[in-house]
Structures are given as C-alpha cells and as structure tokens.
Amino acid sequence: IIVTNKTNIGISMEDITNIDWKKEAKFIIKKELLKQDIDYVKLCKLLKKFGIDENAGNIANKLSRGTFSFIFALQIFEAIGIKTLRLKD
C-alpha cells in the first residue's frame, strides 16, 4: 500500500482510518486461494508440509473473522506459492 497525502495519488490518512482492515485481510487471502482453486482442505494439506497443523474449520473461522496474525498470512502465501503479492491495482 502506498500512502501519500491528498495532493498526490494515494490514500489519505482519513481514508486509512476508514478502511475495514479485517475485511481487507480476509479478502486478499480468499482472492489468492480462489485464483489457484485451493479450498480449505487443500490449504490444510499444503500448510502441513510446512509443519503447520490447522484444520479446515479453524482456517474457515480465522478467515471469516479476519482476525489472524500476519505470520499466518505469510505461512499461507508460502504454502500456496505466492512470490509476489499486489495489494492494490
């Protein structure tokens, strides 16, 4: 995310405070899973290869709430092979 003032292209500080960060976080992960046709069961198997023991229900709950650690997000991205992540177009 590029943050600049209103006179430049970007996001103002006022806009940042109005963002639903939980919604943004879960949308990014769900979008990447959808692009690769990976469901929660398959994600569990991929995470297990990295020593991360999660079940599909736990993953669904975490992503539904949007309350998960950045570490968990990074683990998902690594498990599904994301090398570059574009947050905004």
Side-chain angles (χ1 to χ4, degrees), residues 40-41 43-59 62 72 75-76 79:
Y40 296 152
V41 173
L43 179 58
C44 290
K45 292 174 184 175
L46 294 170
L47 287 169
K48 193 168 272 294
K49 292 178 183 179
F50 292 91
I52 302 152
D53 192 23
E54 289 281 352
N55 65 51
N58 287 345
I59 290 173
K62 286 180 181 183
F72 184 66
Q75 290 169 330
I76 290 174

